[in-house]
Amino acid sequence: MNLDWTALGQVAAVSLAVTVAVVTVFAFGVLGLARHEGTREEVGGTSTLGVAQAGLCFVACAAVVAYGIYLIVPQFH
C-alpha cells in the first residue's frame, strides 16, 4: 500500500484551518449575542449591530455545515 503523504498533509492542514475558522466565526456570533444582551440590560434598548453580527456568523456556520453535508452525501450531486 502506497500513501501519498503530501495529499494527506494537505487534507489535514485544510481540515484544521476550516475547523479553526468555523469555531472563530461561531465565537463572533456568540459575542454578538452577548453584545445584544449587554446593551439590553444596561440601557434598556437593543443592539441591532449585535443581532446582525450574530445572525451573519451563525448563517455562515450553517452554510459551511450544509456544504460539508453536500460533499459527503452522494445523492445531493
Side-chain angles (χ1 to χ4, degrees):
M1 183 170 169
N2 189 14
L3 291 176
D4 186 1
W5 290 102
T6 305
L8 181 64
Q10 288 174 347
V11 168
V14 169
S15 297
L16 180 66
V18 169
T19 301
V20 168
V22 169
V23 168
T24 303
V25 169
F26 189 83
F28 280 128
V30 172
L31 176 67
L33 285 179
R35 183 178 294 157
H36 169 70
E37 290 295 322
T39 302
R40 190 175 70 178
E41 289 176 1
E42 290 175 7
V43 181
T46 60
S47 170
T48 307
L49 181 62
V51 173
Q53 175 184 346
L56 287 174
C57 290
F58 293 145
V59 166
C61 288
V64 170
V65 170
Y67 183 65
I69 291 172
Y70 168 77
L71 291 176
I72 292 171
V73 179
Q75 285 86 4
F76 292 153
H77 296 174

